[in-house]
Amino acid sequence: MDTPLRTPPRTPLSAEQIARFAAIVGERHAVVAPAEQAPYLAEPRGLYHGVTPVVLRPGSTDEVAAILRLADALGVAVVPQGGNTGLVGGQIPFAGEILISLKRLDRIREIDPASNTMTCEAGVVLQAAQEAAAAADRLFPLSLGAEGSCTIGGNLSTNAGGTAALAYGVARDLVLGLEVVLADGRVWHGLNKLKKDNTGYELKHLFLGSEGTLGIITAAVLKLFPAPRAVETAVVGLASPAAALALLGLAQERAGGRLTSFELMARICLDFALRHGIGLRDPLAATHPWYVLIELSSGAPEGLRDLIEETLTLGLERGLVDDAVMAESLDQRAAFWRLREFISDAQKHEGGSIKHDVSVPVAAVPDFIAAASAAAGAVVPGCRPVPFGHLGDGNIHFNVSQPVGADTAAFLARWDEVAAAVFAEVLARGGSISAEHGIGVMKRDVLPDVKDPVAMALMHSLKAVLDPRGILNPGKVV
């Protein structure tokens, strides 16, 4: 956790070289003062801190290309960054690389309702993309807790998932075309709206999820969907993850594609959120060991309320549901989601938190949560597992908070031990150690132990071909 570097720092840039890079973006967009650089050099949890001679803030794809042409000529490494919301250190320069912030690439170039597409630059904030789609009576379904600050480029480079992946897929499923600047400064103009294109290799998938190690995404054509005419949301109290899994199956049988979110939360998640959140309320009169936030959406204005009521009634009759409440207003629906989205922030107030973004087959989620909780407790007796996440696609955020009253630094020093115990339970069930947050530096050294060796060899080969000088986000992923 505290030693992200695998290779020694490169030769520091000279003042003349820094000036050449600064000239590309203009002096006011080349940040060299330490105080002004600080927001770019620490990730949200404070686990990683970086160093850079200059933060470059290009305002166009041409400027990004010019930066990489010069970097390639000089052998200077660069680290691309979007909204700086990543949690695995992938956006931080650790060895004095140039940091390229893409926030100024913030134009929505086009919305095409007839094609159901939107062309966005990499620095567009996710919430702004959602709002632009809504203004055109369309839906861009990617939704994350950090949507007010994360950017489209960062979402695509980490293949973000989110709360609507059950119905619409993850970030890579929402992309039709890309514009990418390669390591040598060439620009791949792959922005197309085609749903069918069999002219060779599907190159966009090389860059989606590659965390800026193969190229820098500067724009994307995104899929849009008809705006829903009805949305129904409910919070359900139940006894166990097994009951939640059975309710998921029932909801899928009844609602099909209208089931858009199915979020699982342990009671400790609500306890933390209610203890530290302002204006949050317990959704049900009595407490329950587990909760589900369920949401249905439909293009038809009628019938959805009856469908969710029938589904929950069947759940009650089958002993799956202990209690439930449906949102009676937009404000109540928003309150349900605020409670879910505040879970991560609430953990900060409970001391150290060792976080795991993992996935297992959906049917294995209940068994995994039980086994991982026991495994973490065996490593650190008294620790508090805080499992929650997207049950519909098997993505569980299995976070572990420190024991009450424990020393935070001593607890966090056990990160690798706890992670090894949790990952063992993930792998035993055919799961993945990274579901939607990426590899970055946090999981880079673990990856060769869990990835098929042929897959690792192919990844290294692709890196060598697309970035032969190793200047793109070095030390990350591979």
Side-chain angles (χ1 to χ4, degrees), residues 3 29 67 77 118 133 149 166-168 190 215 236 264 293-294 301 326 346 348 372 446 450 452 458:
T3 56
H29 296 301
I67 291 169
M118 173 170 59
S149 53
L166 171 62
Y168 298 101
V236 178
L264 177 68
L293 175 58
I294 181 173
M326 289 179 285
K348 299 175 184 177
V446 180
V450 302
D452 176 80
L458 288 171

Side-chain angles (χ1 to χ4, degrees), residues 54-69:
V54 60
V55 176
L56 299 177
R57 303 177 62 247
S60 68
T61 299
D62 287 344
E63 289 184 357
V64 176
I67 291 169
L68 287 186
R69 280 195 298 272

Side-chain angles (χ1 to χ4, degrees), residues 40 65 93 101 115 137 197 248 265 272 302 331 336 363 392 465 469:
Y40 300 92
S101 171
S115 296
D137 197 30
D197 180 5
L248 171 65
M265 304 170 283
F272 283 7
E302 306 292 338
D331 286 344
F336 290 168
V465 169
R469 304 195 68 178

Side-chain angles (χ1 to χ4, degrees), residues 133-389:
D137 197 30
R138 293 295 185 270
L139 172 71
F140 181 58
L142 187 65
S143 181
L144 317 171
E147 60 194 27
S149 53
C150 65
T151 61
I152 293 297
N155 298 150
L156 302 186
S157 70
T158 58
N159 189 31
T163 57
L166 171 62
Y168 298 101
V170 296
R172 73 167 64 250
D173 300 310
L174 301 174
V175 177
L176 288 173
L178 288 180
E179 177 184 86
V180 181
V181 180
L182 303 180
D184 59 7
R186 289 179 297 161
V187 180
W188 172 46
H189 298 284
L191 293 176
N192 69 67
K193 306 175 185 179
L194 303 177
K195 297 183 183 299
K196 294 182 177 180
D197 180 5
N198 282 331
T199 54
Y201 304 136
E202 185 55 276
L203 298 177
K204 68 175 181 281
H205 289 297
L206 291 176
F207 304 100
L208 297 168
S210 69
E211 301 184 49
T213 62
L214 302 179
I216 297 179
I217 296 170
T218 52
V221 178
L222 306 174
K223 297 178 184 178
L224 300 181
F225 298 83
R229 303 303 179 204
V231 178
E232 295 291 344
T233 311
V235 173
V236 178
L238 26 69
S240 67
L245 182 63
L247 180 62
L248 171 65
L250 175 61
Q252 289 174 320
E253 291 172 7
R254 301 286 299 172
R258 289 168 290 186
L259 177 64
T260 49
S261 296
F262 199 94
E263 299 291 295
L264 177 68
M265 304 170 283
R267 176 64 204 185
I268 192 173
C269 301
L270 272 66
D271 288 340
F272 283 7
L274 294 169
R275 188 178 301 155
H276 303 292
I278 298 174
L280 300 179
R281 299 179 59 184
D282 211 327
L284 298 173
T287 61
H288 301 270
W290 291 86
Y291 295 81
V292 162
L293 175 58
I294 181 173
E295 188 159 278
L296 273 59
S297 302
S298 174
E302 306 292 338
L304 203 61
R305 183 75 172 190
D306 290 342
L307 178 59
I308 195 169
E309 287 179 347
E310 292 167 3
T311 301
L312 295 176
T313 298
L314 281 173
L316 283 164
E317 293 173 353
R318 297 181 186 182
L320 306 176
V321 173
D322 294 334
D323 195 7
V325 59
M326 289 179 285
E328 299 294 341
S329 66
L330 291 176
D331 286 344
Q332 191 174 21
R333 173 180 179 254
F336 290 168
W337 277 108
R338 281 197 302 272
L339 188 61
R340 160 63 181 86
E341 291 163 356
F342 189 66
I343 293 171
S344 292
D345 285 340
Q347 291 170 80
K348 299 175 184 177
H349 302 281
E350 294 288 331
S353 178
I354 298 175
K355 300 180 183 293
H356 308 94
D357 160 48
V358 300
S359 64
V360 296
V362 173
V365 167
D367 181 53
F368 162 72
I369 290 176
S373 297
V379 175
V380 182
C383 69
R384 296 171 291 169
V386 187
F388 64 99

Side-chain angles (χ1 to χ4, degrees), residues 49-132:
H49 296 83
V51 59
T52 183
V54 60
V55 176
L56 299 177
R57 303 177 62 247
S60 68
T61 299
D62 287 344
E63 289 184 357
V64 176
I67 291 169
L68 287 186
R69 280 195 298 272
L70 181 56
D72 181 58
L74 298 176
V76 172
V78 301
V79 173
Q81 185 182 98
N84 194 20
T85 60
L87 300 177
V88 293
Q91 75 279 27
I92 302 297
F94 291 107
E97 304 96 335
I98 286 176
L99 191 147
I100 303 176
S101 171
L102 298 167
K103 284 186 176 181
R104 290 184 60 225
L105 274 69
D106 60 357
R107 291 189 306 125
I108 296 176
R109 296 182 183 176
E110 180 193 48
I111 296 179
D112 182 351
S115 296
N116 279 316
T117 63
M118 173 170 59
T119 304
C120 290
E121 293 184 341
V124 172
V125 172
L126 174 55
Q127 185 174 327
Q130 296 167 341
E131 291 171 352

